[in-house]
Amino acid sequence: MTWRPRLAEGTAPVLVVLLLLLVGLAITGPAFAEPAGYLALLKRAAPLMILAIGQYFVIVSGGFDLSVGALVTAGVVIAARLLGGDESATGWVILLVLGFGLLVGLVNGLITTKLLVPSFIVTLGMLLVLDGAIFLWTGGAPRGALSTGFRTFGRGAVEVPVLGAIPWSVLILLAILAAAALFMRGGIGRALVAVGDNEAAVRLSGGQVDRLRLLAFVLSGLLAAVAAILLGGFAGVSAQVGSGLEFRAITAVVLGGVLLGGGRGSVVAAAAGALSLESLFTLLNLLGVSGALESAVQGVIIIAAVAYASLGGGLRQRLRSWPKRRTGVTPAPAASS
C-alpha cells in the first residue's frame, strides 16, 4: 500500500488563486523575473502568515481572536522600551515578549472558557486594553530602540549551502508551518477541529473542550509575539506597526477556505491565504492602484469567501442527495406507536 499526499478540503482553490497571483507578479513586476523577488515577497509575508496560522487555531475551534494586531504593537513597543539599543539584553527581552504573548492568549482563553464570554467580545476588549495601555505608557510616541540582535530575525539572513542567503523570517515561518501541519494531523489537532464542528459530541465523547479552546488562544498569542519580533526587525518601532493585522489575518484564513464558526479548514491553506493576500496587495501596488482600497478588498474577500462556503455547502448537500432522487429512493417513514 502506497501513501499519497492528499489536499484537505478547501485547499485547492486558494492554491490556484496564489498561482495566478504569482504569475501576475511575474508578468507585471521586473523584480519577480528572478527567485530573489519571490523570496523577498515571502519575507514580507512571513509575519502575516504566522499570524494567520495562530488565527487558524482559534477560528477552526469556533472562536475569534481580534487582539493579535494590538499584541504585535505591544510586543514591539515593549521590546524597544526595555532594550534601548542594549545588545546584551536581547535574549531576555525576546523571552519576555514571547511570555507576554502567552499571557495574553491565556487570559483570552480563560475568560472565554471559564466565564463563558464570547471570544469576539473578549478579544475585542483585549484589543482596546492593549491599545489604551500602550498609548498611556508611550504618550503616542514609542521610545527606545531595538538592538541589532533583535532586528536580525526580521531583516537578517543566514547562508545556506546551494540556496544562498535565506532570510531568518522565512526559515522561522517554514519551521512553524511544518510544526503546525504535524500538530493538526495528530490527535489534539483533530480534536481541535472537532470542537469547532460539534462541541456537544466532543463533550459526550470525553473530550476536554475548554482545554482545547484554551490551547488555541495560547498558541495564537504566542505566534502573535513571534510575528511582533519579525515585524520589529523588518519595519522598526511604531505605534501603528500592528494596526489592522487582526483583520488581515482573519481575511487570510477565510481566503484559505477555513469555515468561520469552525469545524473545517487546513492550516496550510490558511498560510497560503495570507501569502495570496500579500501577493494581491503587491500586485495592486505594481498596477498603481491606491493603497486606500486595501480595506475594501479585504471586505470583499471576506464576504465572497463566506458566501462561497455557504453556497458550496448547499451544493454539496444537493449533489449527495441527487442519486437518491433519480432512483426514486425515499427514506422509509417512521413507525408509529
Side-chain angles (χ1 to χ4, degrees), residues 106-127:
L106 182 64
V107 172
N108 285 337
L110 286 175
I111 295 176
T112 300
T113 57
K114 301 304 180 184
L115 299 183
L116 303 181
V117 181
S119 60
F120 185 91
I121 301 300
V122 174
T123 56
L124 177 60
M126 182 61 73
L127 179 155

Side-chain angles (χ1 to χ4, degrees), residues 266-294:
S266 162
V267 66
V268 174
L275 182 56
S276 299
L277 198 62
E278 189 67 32
S279 301
L280 175 61
F281 292 149
T282 302
L283 181 59
L284 292 176
N285 183 54
L286 290 174
L287 293 173
V289 178
S290 172
L293 289 177
E294 288 188 3

Side-chain angles (χ1 to χ4, degrees), residues 31-249:
F32 293 95
E34 297 182 358
Y38 294 100
L39 196 59
L41 172 66
L42 196 57
K43 177 181 177 180
R44 292 196 305 273
L48 179 60
M49 293 174 74
I50 291 172
L51 275 179
I53 292 171
Q55 191 72 242
Y56 164 82
F57 291 132
V58 177
I59 288 180
V60 84
S61 63
F64 283 97
D65 190 350
L66 298 179
S67 66
V68 292
L71 180 52
V72 166
T73 300
V76 173
V77 170
I78 290 172
R81 185 72 176 270
L82 295 178
L83 280 170
D86 183 8
E87 199 68 43
S88 63
T90 299
W92 70 263
V93 169
I94 288 177
L95 292 177
L96 180 66
V97 172
L98 294 175
F100 183 70
L102 284 170
L103 178 62
V104 172
L106 182 64
V107 172
N108 285 337
L110 286 175
I111 295 176
T112 300
T113 57
K114 301 304 180 184
L115 299 183
L116 303 181
V117 181
S119 60
F120 185 91
I121 301 300
V122 174
T123 56
L124 177 60
M126 182 61 73
L127 179 155
L128 297 174
V129 168
L130 290 174
D131 276 348
I134 291 301
F135 184 83
L136 182 64
W137 190 35
T138 63
R143 286 171 283 176
L146 299 173
S147 64
T148 302
F150 189 98
R151 299 199 67 176
T152 296
F153 296 103
R155 64 179 180 178
V158 58
E159 287 291 333
V160 177
V162 180
L163 298 177
I166 305 296
W168 274 109
S169 57
V170 174
L171 294 176
I172 293 171
L173 166 65
L174 293 177
I176 290 174
L177 182 57
L182 289 174
F183 172 76
M184 293 307 299
R185 290 179 64 89
I188 298 178
R190 294 177 186 274
L192 201 62
V193 177
V195 167
D197 184 42
N198 193 330
E199 178 183 338
V202 176
R203 289 189 186 277
L204 290 174
S205 64
Q208 300 292 327
V209 173
D210 289 351
R211 290 185 182 181
L212 289 167
R213 284 196 167 138
L214 178 61
L215 175 63
F217 281 103
V218 169
L219 290 174
S220 179
L222 175 62
L223 293 180
V226 174
I229 294 171
L230 298 185
L231 271 173
F234 183 77
V237 183
S238 168
Q240 304 296 324
V241 67
S243 178
L245 283 179
E246 61 279 351
F247 298 111
R248 282 201 179 192

Side-chain angles (χ1 to χ4, degrees), residues 275-325:
L275 182 56
S276 299
L277 198 62
E278 189 67 32
S279 301
L280 175 61
F281 292 149
T282 302
L283 181 59
L284 292 176
N285 183 54
L286 290 174
L287 293 173
V289 178
S290 172
L293 289 177
E294 288 188 3
S295 295
V297 170
Q298 291 181 70
V300 170
I301 289 174
I302 290 178
I303 295 172
V306 173
Y308 171 80
S310 177
L311 292 174
L315 179 60
R316 285 190 295 270
Q317 189 174 21
R318 288 194 295 271
L319 288 175
R320 280 195 293 266
S321 62
W322 179 71
K324 294 181 179 180
R325 293 199 302 268

